[in-house]
Amino acid sequence: MLIRFNKPYGVLSQFTPEGRWRGLKDHIDLPGVYVAGRLDADSEGLLLLTDDGPMQARIADPRFKMEKTYLVQVEGMVTQAALNQLSRGVTLNDGPTLPAFAIAVDPPADLWPRNPPIRERKNSPTSWLELVIREGRNRQVRRMSAAVGLPTLRLIRTAVGPYNLDGLPTSTWQQV
């Protein structure tokens, strides 16, 4: 069994809550399913869960290099120079990243509101980019965008390999 879940902001990639963050048990009441790849509590979007160990490994293990696609709202305006850097790979404190697919995109028209909303500064514009990576380091997308001078304000994973969020409202799940 494979489940796709549109994880809202503030929910951990685990069933038990911790500190100020809620757990998956508030949204998914299915025994025997486990998360296949993590998504930080302050990130939103596609989280896959399965009861199949080998499938979990294929999805989560970096050796399989399954693409992960993100919509990223950043502080500042996305430039071609920043996109070029991301496309070549950037150096983080734990070493260089693999090259990423990076493009500037329009703000998504059908995006659900985030609770709480992102912080907005009157004197600082925001813009969006789509980033596709094949790694899964801790907070990698946030660190990559910061490395090119574009701090992340909102991060939404829209796809993992062939699985995506299409037609799945926030806080809901569906068996694939």
Side-chain angles (χ1 to χ4, degrees), residues 9-37:
Y9 178 89
V11 174
L12 293 165
S13 293
Q14 62 188 39
F15 283 90
T16 52
E18 206 170 282
R20 68 185 179 120
W21 304 116
R22 297 177 316 235
L24 291 173
K25 72 178 178 89
D26 295 340
H27 300 276
I28 301 171
D29 186 20
L30 287 175
V33 295
Y34 301 93
V35 174

Side-chain angles (χ1 to χ4, degrees), residues 79-137:
T79 63
Q80 190 58 52
L83 294 172
N84 291 344
Q85 284 181 279
L86 292 166
S87 296
R88 285 192 303 268
V90 296
T91 300
L92 305 175
N93 60 357
D94 56 351
T97 67
L98 292 174
F101 173 79
I103 58 170
V105 295
D106 291 331
D110 56 352
L111 190 60
W112 58 89
R114 195 187 91 169
N115 185 17
I118 65 157
R119 63 176 169 75
E120 296 218 25
R121 296 183 181 163
K122 289 186 174 152
N123 298 336
S124 187
T126 69
S127 56
W128 289 82
L129 63 98
E130 182 180 80
L131 194 64
V132 181
I133 62 172
R134 292 181 173 269
E135 300 172 277
R137 297 191 214 174

Side-chain angles (χ1 to χ4, degrees), residues 69-81:
T69 304
Y70 297 87
L71 271 177
V72 190
Q73 185 177 16
V74 294
E75 189 172 310
M77 297 309 293
V78 175
T79 63
Q80 190 58 52

